[in-house]
Amino acid sequence: IHRLEKGLCFPSGKELFAEKYIEETVSAYHCATENHLHDTGELEWARSVLKRYFATVSIQNERVVSAYQRYLDIENESDGGSLALTPFEFGSIPKVKESWGEEFISLCESRVSCRWFEEKKVPRSKVEYAVNCATQAASACNRQPFQFLLIENPELKSKIVSLPFGTAGFGTDLPHLMMVVGDLSNFPLERDRHLIYIDSALATSQLLLGFTAQGLASVPINWPDVEVNHRSARELLGLENYHVPIMLVGFGIPLEQAKIPYSEKKGVEALLKTYD
Ligand SMILES: Cc1cc2nc3c(=O)[nH]c(=O)nc-3n(C[C@H](O)[C@H](O)[C@H](O)COP(=O)(O)O)c2cc1C
């Protein structure tokens, strides 16, 4: 679906594209409409894009014709959904406000790893706000091959938090614990197996900023790649073999007097290398 959207975004417009994979795409869409495992918004997006695709390309190529017939069978007598969730113009995005630049760097600088929290719980709406920040992150082909597991059950939480090695002294006191889990079932090709790490990291970064933006604090916790720990986590949380724990995130309402390691950051000169 994402590839179809890219084709639809070409400035010059294209009469024919995706002929090599449109049959596979329609077939995957069919599967998704039947198995009820998909997010409803995501499915509506797929529906919208397919409708736009078949309204745009010229339906003459043999493979496009065959995919179109299959598509019509699936959509049956419905109108195929709206065209709303399809490519839009950059200019229609709300304009960036001038003040955002300064405010954003302040937000970035305010995010620190905090390990000491009040005993109070964070309202659910604040957790959902942070996850909503995370879901806006870029991900390869928009697959978003991850989930955030909020582990509130005290017994489960203490078992999970003691599995990695970096939580000594503070792990069991964390008011909230989340596990970021990658989902390898998104990838048919072995060569893409690293994407669960990249996409999770990009999303988790936004999750952490989402907590910061609401006056909360967090600490990411390394999940070492130790098979026995993966297995324990899968067993405790009822995960499948294709679910890979990526990291833990502790979060909550920070204690005002909590001590924060200074953690001096590298300067821009050290990180930015330019090839003129
Ligand atoms: C992937 C990752 C794993 C981390 N693992 C741990 C950990 O196991 N224990 C811990 O106390 N802090 C952990 N941290 C927090 C880092 O120590 C912290 O981000 C770093 O020192 C920079 O400080 P800052 O987050 O305050 O900017 C981890 C951070 C990341 C991004």
Side-chain angles (χ1 to χ4, degrees), residues 209-245:
L209 290 174
F211 285 135
T212 306
Q214 302 174 96
L216 303 172
S218 61
V219 57
I221 297 163
N222 183 30
W223 184 273
D225 193 359
V226 176
E227 188 49 35
V228 66
N229 283 1
H230 290 345
R231 252 185 270 138
S232 302
R234 285 184 190 120
E235 220 165 273
L236 286 166
L237 300 170
L239 304 175
E240 302 293 341
N241 276 340
Y242 51 78
H243 289 129
V244 183

PDB file of all heavy atoms in Angstrom, residues 209-245:
ATOM      1  N   LEU A 209       9.899  11.758  24.339  1.00  0.00           N
ATOM      2  CA  LEU A 209       9.618  13.202  24.244  1.00  0.00           C
ATOM      3  C   LEU A 209       8.150  13.480  24.576  1.00  0.00           C
ATOM      4  O   LEU A 209       7.829  14.518  25.164  1.00  0.00           O
ATOM      5  CB  LEU A 209       9.963  13.729  22.851  1.00  0.00           C
ATOM      6  CG  LEU A 209      11.461  13.780  22.532  1.00  0.00           C
ATOM      7  CD1 LEU A 209      11.694  14.172  21.077  1.00  0.00           C
ATOM      8  CD2 LEU A 209      12.206  14.756  23.445  1.00  0.00           C
ATOM      9  N   GLY A 210       7.286  12.548  24.226  1.00  0.00           N
ATOM     10  CA  GLY A 210       5.857  12.676  24.555  1.00  0.00           C
ATOM     11  C   GLY A 210       5.639  12.678  26.060  1.00  0.00           C
ATOM     12  O   GLY A 210       4.802  13.420  26.578  1.00  0.00           O
ATOM     13  N   PHE A 211       6.409  11.861  26.776  1.00  0.00           N
ATOM     14  CA  PHE A 211       6.332  11.890  28.242  1.00  0.00           C
ATOM     15  C   PHE A 211       6.848  13.234  28.758  1.00  0.00           C
ATOM     16  O   PHE A 211       6.216  13.875  29.592  1.00  0.00           O
ATOM     17  CB  PHE A 211       7.172  10.749  28.851  1.00  0.00           C
ATOM     18  CG  PHE A 211       6.542   9.379  28.719  1.00  0.00           C
ATOM     19  CD1 PHE A 211       7.298   8.279  28.320  1.00  0.00           C
ATOM     20  CD2 PHE A 211       5.191   9.189  29.014  1.00  0.00           C
ATOM     21  CE1 PHE A 211       6.726   7.011  28.212  1.00  0.00           C
ATOM     22  CE2 PHE A 211       4.604   7.927  28.904  1.00  0.00           C
ATOM     23  CZ  PHE A 211       5.380   6.847  28.501  1.00  0.00           C
ATOM     24  N   THR A 212       7.997  13.652  28.234  1.00  0.00           N
ATOM     25  CA  THR A 212       8.601  14.911  28.692  1.00  0.00           C
ATOM     26  C   THR A 212       7.649  16.082  28.483  1.00  0.00           C
ATOM     27  O   THR A 212       7.522  16.948  29.356  1.00  0.00           O
ATOM     28  CB  THR A 212       9.922  15.177  27.917  1.00  0.00           C
ATOM     29  OG1 THR A 212      10.757  14.034  28.058  1.00  0.00           O
ATOM     30  CG2 THR A 212      10.650  16.397  28.449  1.00  0.00           C
ATOM     31  N   ALA A 213       6.995  16.110  27.336  1.00  0.00           N
ATOM     32  CA  ALA A 213       6.102  17.230  26.996  1.00  0.00           C
ATOM     33  C   ALA A 213       4.949  17.367  27.990  1.00  0.00           C
ATOM     34  O   ALA A 213       4.322  18.421  28.061  1.00  0.00           O
ATOM     35  CB  ALA A 213       5.555  17.041  25.579  1.00  0.00           C
ATOM     36  N   GLN A 214       4.694  16.302  28.761  1.00  0.00           N
ATOM     37  CA  GLN A 214       3.581  16.350  29.717  1.00  0.00           C
ATOM     38  C   GLN A 214       4.069  16.438  31.164  1.00  0.00           C
ATOM     39  O   GLN A 214       3.333  16.158  32.110  1.00  0.00           O
ATOM     40  CB  GLN A 214       2.729  15.089  29.589  1.00  0.00           C
ATOM     41  CG  GLN A 214       2.169  14.867  28.196  1.00  0.00           C
ATOM     42  CD  GLN A 214       1.463  13.529  28.125  1.00  0.00           C
ATOM     43  OE1 GLN A 214       0.258  13.457  28.278  1.00  0.00           O
ATOM     44  NE2 GLN A 214       2.202  12.454  27.918  1.00  0.00           N
ATOM     45  N   GLY A 215       5.365  16.776  31.324  1.00  0.00           N
ATOM     46  CA  GLY A 215       5.906  16.915  32.681  1.00  0.00           C
ATOM     47  C   GLY A 215       6.262  15.587  33.329  1.00  0.00           C
ATOM     48  O   GLY A 215       6.530  15.525  34.528  1.00  0.00           O
ATOM     49  N   LEU A 216       6.265  14.516  32.554  1.00  0.00           N
ATOM     50  CA  LEU A 216       6.650  13.212  33.100  1.00  0.00           C
ATOM     51  C   LEU A 216       8.125  12.966  32.813  1.00  0.00           C
ATOM     52  O   LEU A 216       8.771  13.753  32.111  1.00  0.00           O
ATOM     53  CB  LEU A 216       5.785  12.113  32.472  1.00  0.00           C
ATOM     54  CG  LEU A 216       4.278  12.292  32.641  1.00  0.00           C
ATOM     55  CD1 LEU A 216       3.507  11.262  31.826  1.00  0.00           C
ATOM     56  CD2 LEU A 216       3.901  12.200  34.113  1.00  0.00           C
ATOM     57  N   ALA A 217       8.650  11.867  33.317  1.00  0.00           N
ATOM     58  CA  ALA A 217      10.042  11.521  33.008  1.00  0.00           C
ATOM     59  C   ALA A 217      10.124  10.025  32.757  1.00  0.00           C
ATOM     60  O   ALA A 217       9.199   9.264  33.086  1.00  0.00           O
ATOM     61  CB  ALA A 217      10.954  11.934  34.159  1.00  0.00           C
ATOM     62  N   SER A 218      11.246   9.623  32.163  1.00  0.00           N
ATOM     63  CA  SER A 218      11.379   8.226  31.741  1.00  0.00           C
ATOM     64  C   SER A 218      12.828   7.785  31.803  1.00  0.00           C
ATOM     65  O   SER A 218      13.739   8.622  31.901  1.00  0.00           O
ATOM     66  CB  SER A 218      10.868   8.092  30.299  1.00  0.00           C
ATOM     67  OG  SER A 218      11.647   8.919  29.453  1.00  0.00           O
ATOM     68  N   VAL A 219      13.002   6.482  31.713  1.00  0.00           N
ATOM     69  CA  VAL A 219      14.356   5.931  31.553  1.00  0.00           C
ATOM     70  C   VAL A 219      14.280   4.722  30.614  1.00  0.00           C
ATOM     71  O   VAL A 219      13.515   3.784  30.869  1.00  0.00           O
ATOM     72  CB  VAL A 219      15.002   5.549  32.915  1.00  0.00           C
ATOM     73  CG1 VAL A 219      14.161   4.562  33.703  1.00  0.00           C
ATOM     74  CG2 VAL A 219      16.424   5.015  32.719  1.00  0.00           C
ATOM     75  N   PRO A 220      15.036   4.789  29.502  1.00  0.00           N
ATOM     76  CA  PRO A 220      15.104   3.592  28.657  1.00  0.00           C
ATOM     77  C   PRO A 220      16.010   2.569  29.331  1.00  0.00           C
ATOM     78  O   PRO A 220      16.966   2.942  30.007  1.00  0.00           O
ATOM     79  CB  PRO A 220      15.766   4.086  27.356  1.00  0.00           C
ATOM     80  CG  PRO A 220      16.043   5.540  27.548  1.00  0.00           C
ATOM     81  CD  PRO A 220      15.881   5.869  28.985  1.00  0.00           C
ATOM     82  N   ILE A 221      15.696   1.302  29.182  1.00  0.00           N
ATOM     83  CA  ILE A 221      16.507   0.245  29.817  1.00  0.00           C
ATOM     84  C   ILE A 221      16.895  -0.784  28.761  1.00  0.00           C
ATOM     85  O   ILE A 221      16.029  -1.333  28.075  1.00  0.00           O
ATOM     86  CB  ILE A 221      15.714  -0.430  30.966  1.00  0.00           C
ATOM     87  CG1 ILE A 221      15.406   0.608  32.059  1.00  0.00           C
ATOM     88  CG2 ILE A 221      16.489  -1.606  31.548  1.00  0.00           C
ATOM     89  CD1 ILE A 221      14.305   0.182  33.008  1.00  0.00           C
ATOM     90  N   ASN A 222      18.185  -0.994  28.662  1.00  0.00           N
ATOM     91  CA  ASN A 222      18.723  -1.926  27.671  1.00  0.00           C
ATOM     92  C   ASN A 222      18.144  -3.330  27.865  1.00  0.00           C
ATOM     93  O   ASN A 222      18.012  -3.805  28.986  1.00  0.00           O
ATOM     94  CB  ASN A 222      20.252  -1.963  27.830  1.00  0.00           C
ATOM     95  CG  ASN A 222      20.902  -2.856  26.804  1.00  0.00           C
ATOM     96  OD1 ASN A 222      20.395  -3.018  25.686  1.00  0.00           O
ATOM     97  ND2 ASN A 222      22.030  -3.443  27.155  1.00  0.00           N
ATOM     98  N   TRP A 223      17.792  -3.966  26.755  1.00  0.00           N
ATOM     99  CA  TRP A 223      17.374  -5.371  26.803  1.00  0.00           C
ATOM    100  C   TRP A 223      18.452  -6.172  26.069  1.00  0.00           C
ATOM    101  O   TRP A 223      18.440  -6.253  24.841  1.00  0.00           O
ATOM    102  CB  TRP A 223      16.013  -5.569  26.148  1.00  0.00           C
ATOM    103  CG  TRP A 223      15.528  -6.984  26.285  1.00  0.00           C
ATOM    104  CD1 TRP A 223      15.811  -8.023  25.450  1.00  0.00           C
ATOM    105  CD2 TRP A 223      14.724  -7.521  27.340  1.00  0.00           C
ATOM    106  NE1 TRP A 223      15.221  -9.180  25.921  1.00  0.00           N
ATOM    107  CE2 TRP A 223      14.550  -8.893  27.087  1.00  0.00           C
ATOM    108  CE3 TRP A 223      14.137  -6.983  28.487  1.00  0.00           C
ATOM    109  CZ2 TRP A 223      13.815  -9.730  27.917  1.00  0.00           C
ATOM    110  CZ3 TRP A 223      13.403  -7.823  29.317  1.00  0.00           C
ATOM    111  CH2 TRP A 223      13.247  -9.177  29.034  1.00  0.00           C
ATOM    112  N   PRO A 224      19.399  -6.752  26.812  1.00  0.00           N
ATOM    113  CA  PRO A 224      20.490  -7.456  26.129  1.00  0.00           C
ATOM    114  C   PRO A 224      19.960  -8.610  25.276  1.00  0.00           C
ATOM    115  O   PRO A 224      18.939  -9.212  25.630  1.00  0.00           O
ATOM    116  CB  PRO A 224      21.351  -7.975  27.276  1.00  0.00           C
ATOM    117  CG  PRO A 224      20.919  -7.219  28.480  1.00  0.00           C
ATOM    118  CD  PRO A 224      19.496  -6.841  28.269  1.00  0.00           C
ATOM    119  N   ASP A 225      20.648  -8.871  24.177  1.00  0.00           N
ATOM    120  CA  ASP A 225      20.204  -9.911  23.243  1.00  0.00           C
ATOM    121  C   ASP A 225      20.617 -11.280  23.785  1.00  0.00           C
ATOM    122  O   ASP A 225      21.562 -11.909  23.299  1.00  0.00           O
ATOM    123  CB  ASP A 225      20.825  -9.631  21.861  1.00  0.00           C
ATOM    124  CG  ASP A 225      20.164 -10.459  20.777  1.00  0.00           C
ATOM    125  OD1 ASP A 225      19.249 -11.245  21.102  1.00  0.00           O
ATOM    126  OD2 ASP A 225      20.558 -10.320  19.611  1.00  0.00           O
ATOM    127  N   VAL A 226      19.908 -11.729  24.804  1.00  0.00           N
ATOM    128  CA  VAL A 226      20.216 -13.011  25.452  1.00  0.00           C
ATOM    129  C   VAL A 226      19.008 -13.916  25.250  1.00  0.00           C
ATOM    130  O   VAL A 226      17.909 -13.608  25.723  1.00  0.00           O
ATOM    131  CB  VAL A 226      20.477 -12.791  26.971  1.00  0.00           C
ATOM    132  CG1 VAL A 226      20.694 -14.114  27.677  1.00  0.00           C
ATOM    133  CG2 VAL A 226      21.652 -11.849  27.180  1.00  0.00           C
ATOM    134  N   GLU A 227      19.216 -15.008  24.529  1.00  0.00           N
ATOM    135  CA  GLU A 227      18.084 -15.843  24.098  1.00  0.00           C
ATOM    136  C   GLU A 227      17.203 -16.284  25.268  1.00  0.00           C
ATOM    137  O   GLU A 227      15.978 -16.259  25.189  1.00  0.00           O
ATOM    138  CB  GLU A 227      18.627 -17.048  23.309  1.00  0.00           C
ATOM    139  CG  GLU A 227      17.568 -17.900  22.632  1.00  0.00           C
ATOM    140  CD  GLU A 227      16.533 -17.113  21.795  1.00  0.00           C
ATOM    141  OE1 GLU A 227      16.905 -16.099  21.175  1.00  0.00           O
ATOM    142  OE2 GLU A 227      15.350 -17.527  21.793  1.00  0.00           O
ATOM    143  N   VAL A 228      17.852 -16.656  26.381  1.00  0.00           N
ATOM    144  CA  VAL A 228      17.063 -17.167  27.507  1.00  0.00           C
ATOM    145  C   VAL A 228      16.134 -16.072  28.063  1.00  0.00           C
ATOM    146  O   VAL A 228      15.008 -16.351  28.501  1.00  0.00           O
ATOM    147  CB  VAL A 228      17.991 -17.795  28.590  1.00  0.00           C
ATOM    148  CG1 VAL A 228      18.869 -16.749  29.248  1.00  0.00           C
ATOM    149  CG2 VAL A 228      17.192 -18.545  29.621  1.00  0.00           C
ATOM    150  N   ASN A 229      16.590 -14.820  28.008  1.00  0.00           N
ATOM    151  CA  ASN A 229      15.736 -13.702  28.466  1.00  0.00           C
ATOM    152  C   ASN A 229      14.574 -13.466  27.504  1.00  0.00           C
ATOM    153  O   ASN A 229      13.463 -13.154  27.917  1.00  0.00           O
ATOM    154  CB  ASN A 229      16.554 -12.407  28.594  1.00  0.00           C
ATOM    155  CG  ASN A 229      17.407 -12.423  29.854  1.00  0.00           C
ATOM    156  OD1 ASN A 229      17.392 -13.402  30.598  1.00  0.00           O
ATOM    157  ND2 ASN A 229      18.139 -11.354  30.082  1.00  0.00           N
ATOM    158  N   HIS A 230      14.871 -13.575  26.206  1.00  0.00           N
ATOM    159  CA  HIS A 230      13.795 -13.442  25.217  1.00  0.00           C
ATOM    160  C   HIS A 230      12.714 -14.488  25.512  1.00  0.00           C
ATOM    161  O   HIS A 230      11.526 -14.205  25.516  1.00  0.00           O
ATOM    162  CB  HIS A 230      14.311 -13.675  23.792  1.00  0.00           C
ATOM    163  CG  HIS A 230      15.198 -12.586  23.266  1.00  0.00           C
ATOM    164  ND1 HIS A 230      15.290 -11.345  23.837  1.00  0.00           N
ATOM    165  CD2 HIS A 230      16.034 -12.541  22.197  1.00  0.00           C
ATOM    166  CE1 HIS A 230      16.141 -10.591  23.155  1.00  0.00           C
ATOM    167  NE2 HIS A 230      16.611 -11.304  22.153  1.00  0.00           N
ATOM    168  N   ARG A 231      13.189 -15.712  25.766  1.00  0.00           N
ATOM    169  CA  ARG A 231      12.239 -16.804  25.995  1.00  0.00           C
ATOM    170  C   ARG A 231      11.411 -16.559  27.255  1.00  0.00           C
ATOM    171  O   ARG A 231      10.203 -16.745  27.263  1.00  0.00           O
ATOM    172  CB  ARG A 231      12.984 -18.142  26.099  1.00  0.00           C
ATOM    173  CG  ARG A 231      12.739 -18.980  24.853  1.00  0.00           C
ATOM    174  CD  ARG A 231      13.351 -20.349  24.946  1.00  0.00           C
ATOM    175  NE  ARG A 231      14.715 -20.308  24.433  1.00  0.00           N
ATOM    176  CZ  ARG A 231      15.744 -20.913  24.974  1.00  0.00           C
ATOM    177  NH1 ARG A 231      15.623 -21.606  26.081  1.00  0.00           N
ATOM    178  NH2 ARG A 231      16.923 -20.840  24.407  1.00  0.00           N
ATOM    179  N   SER A 232      12.089 -16.098  28.319  1.00  0.00           N
ATOM    180  CA  SER A 232      11.353 -15.824  29.573  1.00  0.00           C
ATOM    181  C   SER A 232      10.302 -14.752  29.340  1.00  0.00           C
ATOM    182  O   SER A 232       9.163 -14.861  29.808  1.00  0.00           O
ATOM    183  CB  SER A 232      12.308 -15.327  30.662  1.00  0.00           C
ATOM    184  OG  SER A 232      13.304 -16.264  30.884  1.00  0.00           O
ATOM    185  N   ALA A 233      10.694 -13.685  28.627  1.00  0.00           N
ATOM    186  CA  ALA A 233       9.744 -12.588  28.383  1.00  0.00           C
ATOM    187  C   ALA A 233       8.560 -13.089  27.568  1.00  0.00           C
ATOM    188  O   ALA A 233       7.407 -12.759  27.861  1.00  0.00           O
ATOM    189  CB  ALA A 233      10.442 -11.439  27.663  1.00  0.00           C
ATOM    190  N   ARG A 234       8.848 -13.904  26.550  1.00  0.00           N
ATOM    191  CA  ARG A 234       7.748 -14.420  25.708  1.00  0.00           C
ATOM    192  C   ARG A 234       6.775 -15.250  26.534  1.00  0.00           C
ATOM    193  O   ARG A 234       5.566 -15.159  26.382  1.00  0.00           O
ATOM    194  CB  ARG A 234       8.321 -15.271  24.565  1.00  0.00           C
ATOM    195  CG  ARG A 234       8.961 -14.426  23.484  1.00  0.00           C
ATOM    196  CD  ARG A 234       9.441 -15.284  22.306  1.00  0.00           C
ATOM    197  NE  ARG A 234      10.247 -14.500  21.413  1.00  0.00           N
ATOM    198  CZ  ARG A 234      11.526 -14.764  21.102  1.00  0.00           C
ATOM    199  NH1 ARG A 234      12.141 -15.808  21.621  1.00  0.00           N
ATOM    200  NH2 ARG A 234      12.173 -13.971  20.282  1.00  0.00           N
ATOM    201  N   GLU A 235       7.358 -16.047  27.419  1.00  0.00           N
ATOM    202  CA  GLU A 235       6.519 -16.901  28.252  1.00  0.00           C
ATOM    203  C   GLU A 235       5.674 -16.058  29.213  1.00  0.00           C
ATOM    204  O   GLU A 235       4.465 -16.256  29.327  1.00  0.00           O
ATOM    205  CB  GLU A 235       7.426 -17.827  29.063  1.00  0.00           C
ATOM    206  CG  GLU A 235       6.895 -19.232  29.186  1.00  0.00           C
ATOM    207  CD  GLU A 235       8.002 -20.150  29.660  1.00  0.00           C
ATOM    208  OE1 GLU A 235       8.760 -20.660  28.798  1.00  0.00           O
ATOM    209  OE2 GLU A 235       8.117 -20.305  30.877  1.00  0.00           O
ATOM    210  N   LEU A 236       6.317 -15.100  29.859  1.00  0.00           N
ATOM    211  CA  LEU A 236       5.603 -14.287  30.855  1.00  0.00           C
ATOM    212  C   LEU A 236       4.504 -13.440  30.217  1.00  0.00           C
ATOM    213  O   LEU A 236       3.454 -13.220  30.809  1.00  0.00           O
ATOM    214  CB  LEU A 236       6.594 -13.356  31.573  1.00  0.00           C
ATOM    215  CG  LEU A 236       7.528 -14.023  32.595  1.00  0.00           C
ATOM    216  CD1 LEU A 236       8.673 -13.078  32.979  1.00  0.00           C
ATOM    217  CD2 LEU A 236       6.733 -14.410  33.849  1.00  0.00           C
ATOM    218  N   LEU A 237       4.764 -12.957  29.012  1.00  0.00           N
ATOM    219  CA  LEU A 237       3.822 -12.004  28.397  1.00  0.00           C
ATOM    220  C   LEU A 237       2.961 -12.632  27.301  1.00  0.00           C
ATOM    221  O   LEU A 237       2.189 -11.940  26.636  1.00  0.00           O
ATOM    222  CB  LEU A 237       4.599 -10.806  27.825  1.00  0.00           C
ATOM    223  CG  LEU A 237       5.415 -10.028  28.866  1.00  0.00           C
ATOM    224  CD1 LEU A 237       6.347  -9.021  28.195  1.00  0.00           C
ATOM    225  CD2 LEU A 237       4.491  -9.306  29.840  1.00  0.00           C
ATOM    226  N   GLY A 238       3.121 -13.935  27.092  1.00  0.00           N
ATOM    227  CA  GLY A 238       2.313 -14.622  26.077  1.00  0.00           C
ATOM    228  C   GLY A 238       2.636 -14.153  24.668  1.00  0.00           C
ATOM    229  O   GLY A 238       1.724 -13.924  23.869  1.00  0.00           O
ATOM    230  N   LEU A 239       3.924 -13.999  24.369  1.00  0.00           N
ATOM    231  CA  LEU A 239       4.326 -13.520  23.035  1.00  0.00           C
ATOM    232  C   LEU A 239       4.677 -14.681  22.129  1.00  0.00           C
ATOM    233  O   LEU A 239       4.931 -15.795  22.586  1.00  0.00           O
ATOM    234  CB  LEU A 239       5.533 -12.580  23.161  1.00  0.00           C
ATOM    235  CG  LEU A 239       5.355 -11.367  24.084  1.00  0.00           C
ATOM    236  CD1 LEU A 239       6.663 -10.595  24.205  1.00  0.00           C
ATOM    237  CD2 LEU A 239       4.248 -10.461  23.561  1.00  0.00           C
ATOM    238  N   GLU A 240       4.723 -14.378  20.830  1.00  0.00           N
ATOM    239  CA  GLU A 240       5.096 -15.396  19.833  1.00  0.00           C
ATOM    240  C   GLU A 240       6.607 -15.339  19.605  1.00  0.00           C
ATOM    241  O   GLU A 240       7.278 -14.370  19.988  1.00  0.00           O
ATOM    242  CB  GLU A 240       4.386 -15.099  18.503  1.00  0.00           C
ATOM    243  CG  GLU A 240       2.875 -15.051  18.576  1.00  0.00           C
ATOM    244  CD  GLU A 240       2.250 -16.412  18.884  1.00  0.00           C
ATOM    245  OE1 GLU A 240       2.919 -17.440  18.702  1.00  0.00           O
ATOM    246  OE2 GLU A 240       1.087 -16.428  19.328  1.00  0.00           O
ATOM    247  N   ASN A 241       7.110 -16.349  18.923  1.00  0.00           N
ATOM    248  CA  ASN A 241       8.560 -16.390  18.657  1.00  0.00           C
ATOM    249  C   ASN A 241       9.033 -15.230  17.784  1.00  0.00           C
ATOM    250  O   ASN A 241      10.196 -14.845  17.844  1.00  0.00           O
ATOM    251  CB  ASN A 241       8.935 -17.693  17.957  1.00  0.00           C
ATOM    252  CG  ASN A 241       9.138 -18.798  18.965  1.00  0.00           C
ATOM    253  OD1 ASN A 241       9.368 -18.511  20.145  1.00  0.00           O
ATOM    254  ND2 ASN A 241       9.035 -20.033  18.520  1.00  0.00           N
ATOM    255  N   TYR A 242       8.129 -14.700  16.969  1.00  0.00           N
ATOM    256  CA  TYR A 242       8.543 -13.585  16.104  1.00  0.00           C
ATOM    257  C   TYR A 242       8.496 -12.242  16.833  1.00  0.00           C
ATOM    258  O   TYR A 242       8.803 -11.203  16.261  1.00  0.00           O
ATOM    259  CB  TYR A 242       7.703 -13.555  14.813  1.00  0.00           C
ATOM    260  CG  TYR A 242       6.202 -13.610  15.013  1.00  0.00           C
ATOM    261  CD1 TYR A 242       5.488 -12.488  15.412  1.00  0.00           C
ATOM    262  CD2 TYR A 242       5.502 -14.795  14.791  1.00  0.00           C
ATOM    263  CE1 TYR A 242       4.115 -12.534  15.595  1.00  0.00           C
ATOM    264  CE2 TYR A 242       4.114 -14.858  14.973  1.00  0.00           C
ATOM    265  CZ  TYR A 242       3.432 -13.723  15.370  1.00  0.00           C
ATOM    266  OH  TYR A 242       2.075 -13.770  15.554  1.00  0.00           O
ATOM    267  N   HIS A 243       8.089 -12.239  18.092  1.00  0.00           N
ATOM    268  CA  HIS A 243       8.156 -11.010  18.893  1.00  0.00           C
ATOM    269  C   HIS A 243       9.529 -10.931  19.568  1.00  0.00           C
ATOM    270  O   HIS A 243       9.946 -11.875  20.232  1.00  0.00           O
ATOM    271  CB  HIS A 243       7.070 -11.001  19.968  1.00  0.00           C
ATOM    272  CG  HIS A 243       5.698 -10.812  19.416  1.00  0.00           C
ATOM    273  ND1 HIS A 243       4.638 -11.626  19.722  1.00  0.00           N
ATOM    274  CD2 HIS A 243       5.218  -9.887  18.555  1.00  0.00           C
ATOM    275  CE1 HIS A 243       3.556 -11.217  19.079  1.00  0.00           C
ATOM    276  NE2 HIS A 243       3.880 -10.167  18.352  1.00  0.00           N
ATOM    277  N   VAL A 244      10.197  -9.814  19.374  1.00  0.00           N
ATOM    278  CA  VAL A 244      11.542  -9.654  19.932  1.00  0.00           C
ATOM    279  C   VAL A 244      11.554  -8.462  20.890  1.00  0.00           C
ATOM    280  O   VAL A 244      11.306  -7.331  20.457  1.00  0.00           O
ATOM    281  CB  VAL A 244      12.579  -9.409  18.805  1.00  0.00           C
ATOM    282  CG1 VAL A 244      13.983  -9.317  19.384  1.00  0.00           C
ATOM    283  CG2 VAL A 244      12.490 -10.497  17.753  1.00  0.00           C
ATOM    284  N   PRO A 245      11.819  -8.696  22.192  1.00  0.00           N
ATOM    285  CA  PRO A 245      11.935  -7.549  23.088  1.00  0.00           C
ATOM    286  C   PRO A 245      13.084  -6.646  22.624  1.00  0.00           C
ATOM    287  O   PRO A 245      14.165  -7.133  22.284  1.00  0.00           O
ATOM    288  CB  PRO A 245      12.272  -8.184  24.445  1.00  0.00           C
ATOM    289  CG  PRO A 245      11.775  -9.591  24.339  1.00  0.00           C
ATOM    290  CD  PRO A 245      11.986  -9.974  22.894  1.00  0.00           C
TER     291      PRO A 245
END
